[in-house]
């Protein structure tokens, strides 16, 4: 077909439709030529030479081109892997700025490797360039209509200290939900359905943290095994919502559906946080496929080994690491983040393997360019920023070391709580974690909510499996059970896997309540793994990244255990919301400032204060007094915050423990609020006096409220 071509503009990168035509712009510093490829309804290809190049951006404007137009790029330049260049115009490329990507990679339709395939897995197998066209195998980028009626949508802006995060998967959450219309299950529209939102709102969470929704590319070896990258940590489109999660279709429909989901969740007061993977892409190592970045400008987009540009620096365990030190790559990430906030109204991000983004050369640098740019950005500095504070490189475990605007997944909290409830953590370590990890976050000016506390997450056992399995059972992943961590810190309560033993089942249920109660009673930001509130199981699979099936999808036929767990979780979230003493904005100090009692006080089962020796030798049994009259922060109107005071009695021992309550100065009378050994006990009915004895069942906790009546 004949197409009129105008010079166009170098910015913005990607495609911008203005109602009359579309501007195309692609960054490539090292390319020699760039061709824009347009595809009609019959997949006929028209190539357009981009003759305009400004600031390394190749650009043109095409009158008459509009939404739904499919396109890609072919980029010419040297194919010299040993020099870091991998240009191959035989390979169609996805636009790194595409806002819609249509279709999966069709591995059987063409060779998406830029080199001639070999039956031998030699390290230098990529040196001979392949000239086979892969146009039939590659997904196409799509021009979109960005318009959307937000109807006055406003972000909930939930205060940090009031946030309760629910980590979930767009597809897995509704795929088996009987109340969600069948054609909407597993989609953005399904998550936005009345049934799904009513459930989340009733549960009481304030934010959903969605596993990756950026466009995903399944790895070839998974396709060969009839598996998929279900978790989605295999990004190939940083601006495009994954089209298979849309009920309405592709070619831009998925963008509108995603925005509709955000709008519906906001209407219910629920924030949307995206798990984003800016540390690596789906293109793998030097022997991996060529899908986008590798063919657009490999040397700019990826971290290459100094003095050996044939190979990639791999801080991620996936074969490559994005080169955030390059200004155009940094701009790509910032443009992507701003797009999701400004155009799609998301409320925050959780950054996968965030330490990889902080690396300037080899070391993790808290003041790297990536963080500097985010901190000065007027949009991104105001949203919720959560780091997974580790990568697989040397020195990559950086819990507690991220800058002041950042929250962190607190892996130390997870490990400590797991150890405590299986009887292997010290009392001192436990108290650091339950009080917000001030040893990690206080010195640099952060608050308790910087600690995103979790016991389980998508990566690892579910809560039910944590108390049911000592060993991983990942056979379904077809890797001979070699994948997944062996460091689970789990305890099966005496029997591996499923059992009919009523004592074991009762203990497992109690242990799940212990973890949930500890999580919701801890200072910091609680993150609940979706499905834990209904006792979801993956049957011992602790690495279900490739299981897009019933192993990962929520089973909404909850049964009696699931119903009891759901009711208990709802109650805990309400309890936390009603009592600001459990979600303080300032760290506890152990001191008093006017009430006559310290803000926190630790005691032994005999009711006396913990001594230095107790901290060194104790570990399974202790009590905590929380003073509701010693909250130093104020309401938005400047009013003093007052709350009830509480005693929390922890018993991780295998035998019942009798606690003597503290003296009258802490409180004359105490009423029962929570007992994980007896979740049906009537709240407030049991009232005991100072110095009374309270029996705390083996492996359980009890919460008592000071009774002023």
């Amino acid at each position: 077909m004949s197409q009129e071509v105008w010079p166009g503009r170098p910015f913005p990168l990607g495609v911008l439709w203005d109602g009359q035509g579309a501007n195309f712009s692609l960054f490539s510093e090292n390319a020699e030529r760039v061709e824009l490829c347009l595809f009609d309804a019959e997949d006929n290809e028209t190539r357009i030479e981009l003759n305009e190049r400004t600031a390394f951006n190749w650009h043109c404007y095409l009158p008459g081109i509009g939404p739904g137009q499919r396109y890609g790029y072919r980029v010419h330049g040297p194919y010299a892997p040993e020099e870091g260049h991998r240009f191959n115009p035989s390979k169609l490329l996805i636009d790194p700025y595409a806002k819609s990507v249509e279709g999966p990679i069709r591995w059987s339709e063409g060779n998406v490797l830029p080199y001639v395939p070999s039956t031998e897995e030699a390290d230098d197998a990529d040196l001979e360039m392949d000239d086979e066209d892969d146009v039939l195998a590659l997904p196409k980028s799509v021009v979109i209509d960005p318009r959307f009626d937000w109807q006055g949508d406003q972000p909930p802006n939930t205060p940090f200290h009031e946030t309760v995060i629910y980590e979930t998967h767009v597809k897995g959450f509704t795929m088996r939900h009987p109340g969600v219309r069948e054609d909407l299950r597993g989609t953005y529209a399904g998550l936005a359905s009345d049934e799904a939102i009513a459930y989340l709102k009733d549960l009481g969470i304030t934010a959903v943290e969605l596993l990756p929704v950026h466009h995903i590319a399944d790895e070839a070896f998974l396709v060969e095994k009839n598996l998929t990258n279900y978790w989605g940590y295999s990004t190939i489109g940083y601006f495009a919502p994954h089209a298979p999660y849309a009920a309405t279709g592709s070619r831009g429909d998925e963008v509108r559906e995603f925005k509709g989901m955000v709008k519906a969740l906001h209407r219910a007061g629920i924030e949307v946080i995206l798990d984003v993977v800016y540390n690596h892409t789906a293109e793998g190592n030097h022997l991996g496929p060529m899908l986008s970045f590798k063919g657009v400008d490999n040397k700019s987009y990826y971290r290459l080994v100094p003095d050996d540009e044939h190979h990639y620096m791999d801080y991620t365990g996936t074969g490559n690491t994005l080169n955030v030190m390059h200004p155009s790559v940094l701009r790509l990430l910032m443009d992507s983040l701003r797009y999701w906030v400004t155009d799609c109204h998301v409320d925050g991000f959780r950054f996968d393997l965030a330490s990889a983004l902080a690396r300037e050369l080899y070391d993790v640098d808290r003041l790297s360019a990536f963080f500097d740019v985010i901190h000065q950005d007027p949009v991104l500095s105001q949203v919720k920023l959560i780091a997974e504070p580790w990568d697989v490189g040397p020195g990559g475990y950086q819990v507690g070391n991220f800058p002041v605007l950042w929250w962190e997944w607190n892996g130390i909290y997870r490990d400590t709580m797991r150890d405590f409830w299986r009887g292997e953590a010290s009392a001192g370590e436990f108290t650091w974690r339950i009080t917000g990890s001030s040893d990690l976050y206080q010195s640099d000016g952060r608050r308790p909510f910087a600690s995103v506390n979790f016991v389980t997450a998508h990566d690892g056992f579910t809560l039910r499996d944590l108390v049911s399995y000592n060993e991983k059972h990942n056979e379904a992943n077809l890797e001979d059970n070699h994948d997944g961590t062996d460091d689970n810190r789990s305890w099966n309560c005496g029997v591996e896997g499923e059992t009919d033993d009523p004592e074991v089942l009762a203990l497992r249920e109690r242990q799940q309540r212990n973890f949930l109660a500890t999580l919701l009673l801890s200072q910091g930001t609680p993150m609940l793994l979706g499905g834990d509130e209904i006792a979801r199981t993956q049957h011992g699979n602790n690495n279900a990244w490739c299981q897009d099936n019933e192993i990962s999808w929520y089973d909404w036929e909850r049964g009696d255990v699931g119903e009891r767990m759901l009711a208990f979780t709802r109650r805990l979230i309400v309890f936390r919301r009603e009592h600001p003493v459990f979600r303080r904005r300032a760290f506890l100090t152990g001191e008093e400032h006017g009430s006559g009692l310290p803000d926190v006080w630790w005691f032994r089962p005999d009711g006396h204060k913990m001594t230095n020796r107790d901290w060194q030798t104790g570990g399974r049994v202790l009590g905590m007094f929380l003073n509701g009259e010693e909250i130093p922060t104020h309401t938005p109107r400047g009013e003093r915050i007052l709350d009830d005071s509480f005693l929390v009695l922890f018993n991780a021992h295998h035998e019942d423990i009798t606690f003597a309550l503290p003296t009258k100065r802490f409180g004359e009378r105490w009423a029962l609020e929570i007992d994980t050994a007896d979740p049906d006990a009537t709240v407030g009915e049991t009232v005991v006096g100072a110095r009374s004895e309270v029996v705390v069942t083996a492996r359980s906790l009890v919460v008592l409220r000071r009774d002023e009546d």
Side-chain angles (χ1 to χ4, degrees), residues 635-657:
T635 70
R637 298 175 63 89
E639 300 160 333
R640 184 185 177 194
I641 298 174
L642 291 172
D643 193 12
D644 295 313
S645 295
F646 294 89
L647 298 178
V648 188
L649 314 178
F650 299 95
N651 179 16
H653 194 51
H654 63 272
E655 294 179 345
D656 296 354
I657 296 291

Side-chain angles (χ1 to χ4, degrees), residues 142-397:
V142 183
V143 179
I144 71 161
D145 179 350
R147 295 175 298 181
F148 183 77
D149 185 4
W150 283 101
Q151 297 179 314
D153 174 71
Q154 292 294 322
N157 284 326
T158 305
F160 294 156
H161 65 289
E162 295 178 7
T163 298
V164 179
I165 298 172
Y166 186 83
E167 190 198 29
T168 191
H169 189 286
V170 167
K171 184 173 185 179
F173 183 70
T174 61
M175 196 63 189
R176 303 170 71 186
H177 198 301
V180 175
R181 217 171 67 199
E182 189 169 354
D183 61 318
L184 301 183
R185 293 177 188 171
T187 68
Y188 304 120
L191 186 54
S193 67
D194 292 342
E195 293 80 3
I197 288 181
Y199 174 85
L200 294 170
K201 193 170 179 62
D202 187 51
L203 181 59
I205 56 93
T206 70
V208 290
E209 182 177 303
L210 302 179
L211 267 67
V213 300
H214 289 169
H215 197 78
I216 301 160
D218 289 325
E219 293 86 344
F221 73 89
L222 287 179
V223 175
E224 292 171 359
K225 296 178 179 180
N226 292 319
L227 298 172
T228 62
N229 194 318
Y230 172 74
W231 285 353
Y233 293 93
S234 186
T235 302
I236 202 59
Y238 289 120
F239 294 79
H242 191 51
Y245 293 162
T248 50
S250 55
R251 300 200 187 183
D253 293 328
E254 74 278 16
V255 181
R256 286 187 292 273
E257 186 175 324
F258 179 88
K259 292 176 179 178
M261 176 196 72
V262 174
K263 184 170 74 171
L265 287 163
H266 280 182
R267 193 180 298 123
I270 298 171
E271 294 183 308
V272 178
I273 298 171
L274 300 186
D275 192 334
V276 290
V277 190
Y278 292 117
N279 54 78
H280 74 277
T281 77
E283 293 185 299
N285 63 12
H286 64 293
L287 299 177
M290 176 177 283
L291 308 173
S292 179
F293 309 90
K294 187 178 289 187
V296 172
D297 194 342
N298 184 69
K299 197 167 184 174
S300 294
Y301 274 111
Y302 290 113
R303 295 284 299 270
L304 305 180
V305 176
D307 302 321
D308 180 16
E309 294 182 322
H310 183 199
H311 296 98
Y312 296 93
M313 298 295 293
D314 183 11
Y315 295 120
T316 66
T318 65
N320 67 60
T321 305
L322 273 179
N323 184 18
V324 185
M325 293 188 298
H326 193 291
S328 292
V329 180
L330 181 59
R331 179 176 60 202
L332 168 85
L333 270 56
M334 300 303 293
D335 286 347
S336 170
L337 290 166
R338 279 191 290 264
Y339 172 74
W340 290 100
V341 175
T342 59
D343 284 51
C344 300
H345 289 205
V346 304
D347 304 281
F349 305 93
R350 178 265 189 189
F351 292 79
D352 178 63
L353 299 182
S355 292
L357 298 171
R359 290 182 181 272
E360 291 287 5
L361 294 173
Y362 293 101
D363 296 329
V364 175
D365 180 1
R366 285 179 48 171
L367 300 179
S368 71
F370 177 73
F371 297 121
D372 287 347
V373 172
I374 283 185
H375 285 192
Q376 61 79 40
D377 189 280
V379 174
L380 300 179
S381 62
Q382 303 303 304
V383 302
K384 291 180 168 67
L385 302 169
I386 304 173
E388 181 185 35
W390 50 79
D391 64 19
V392 301
Y397 195 77

Side-chain angles (χ1 to χ4, degrees), residues 356-466:
L357 298 171
R359 290 182 181 272
E360 291 287 5
L361 294 173
Y362 293 101
D363 296 329
V364 175
D365 180 1
R366 285 179 48 171
L367 300 179
S368 71
F370 177 73
F371 297 121
D372 287 347
V373 172
I374 283 185
H375 285 192
Q376 61 79 40
D377 189 280
V379 174
L380 300 179
S381 62
Q382 303 303 304
V383 302
K384 291 180 168 67
L385 302 169
I386 304 173
E388 181 185 35
W390 50 79
D391 64 19
V392 301
Y397 195 77
Q398 293 290 315
V399 173
N401 285 333
F402 276 70
V404 69
L405 288 181
W406 289 73
W407 304 1
E408 298 177 18
W409 269 28
N410 191 340
I412 298 176
Y413 177 96
R414 171 200 59 204
D415 294 346
T416 299
M417 295 314 175
R418 290 185 178 196
D419 283 346
F420 179 78
W421 285 111
R422 63 184 183 137
E424 296 186 15
S426 71
E429 183 67 17
F430 175 78
T431 56
W432 280 119
R433 301 309 141 227
I434 200 168
T435 56
S437 297
S438 60
D439 58 327
L440 300 176
Y441 303 114
Q442 187 173 29
S443 63
D444 62 5
R446 286 189 282 178
R447 302 289 187 89
F449 49 72
S451 177
V452 176
N453 300 326
F454 66 104
V455 175
T456 53
H458 68 273
D459 187 1
F461 283 143
T462 66
L463 187 60
R464 176 172 166 180
D465 290 354
L466 186 69

Side-chain angles (χ1 to χ4, degrees), residues 48-224:
I48 297 171
E49 188 89 14
L50 300 189
N51 295 312
E52 300 290 335
R53 181 173 182 250
T54 307
F56 302 126
N57 295 347
W58 303 72
H59 53 92
C60 75
Y61 180 92
L62 302 183
I65 295 296
Q69 174 65 57
R70 297 180 300 146
Y71 71 99
Y73 287 102
R74 296 181 186 274
V75 182
H76 300 252
Y79 186 83
E82 292 173 310
E83 299 173 16
H85 297 304
R86 296 177 180 271
F87 296 104
N88 186 338
S90 297
K91 308 302 175 181
L92 187 72
L93 302 172
I94 298 168
D95 181 0
Y97 275 75
K99 294 183 173 66
S100 176
V101 179
E102 180 191 53
I105 302 169
R106 298 177 177 86
W107 297 93
S108 62
E109 297 295 322
N111 175 30
V112 300
L113 301 174
Y115 56 90
V116 177
S118 172
T119 55
E120 300 179 3
E121 296 184 3
D123 186 64
D124 60 355
D126 59 327
L127 298 183
E128 182 182 355
M129 187 176 81
D130 180 62
D131 60 4
E132 177 187 339
D133 199 310
D134 68 351
V135 66
L136 298 179
L138 256 288
K140 308 301 187 289
S141 306
V142 183
V143 179
I144 71 161
D145 179 350
R147 295 175 298 181
F148 183 77
D149 185 4
W150 283 101
Q151 297 179 314
D153 174 71
Q154 292 294 322
N157 284 326
T158 305
F160 294 156
H161 65 289
E162 295 178 7
T163 298
V164 179
I165 298 172
Y166 186 83
E167 190 198 29
T168 191
H169 189 286
V170 167
K171 184 173 185 179
F173 183 70
T174 61
M175 196 63 189
R176 303 170 71 186
H177 198 301
V180 175
R181 217 171 67 199
E182 189 169 354
D183 61 318
L184 301 183
R185 293 177 188 171
T187 68
Y188 304 120
L191 186 54
S193 67
D194 292 342
E195 293 80 3
I197 288 181
Y199 174 85
L200 294 170
K201 193 170 179 62
D202 187 51
L203 181 59
I205 56 93
T206 70
V208 290
E209 182 177 303
L210 302 179
L211 267 67
V213 300
H214 289 169
H215 197 78
I216 301 160
D218 289 325
E219 293 86 344
F221 73 89
L222 287 179
V223 175
E224 292 171 359

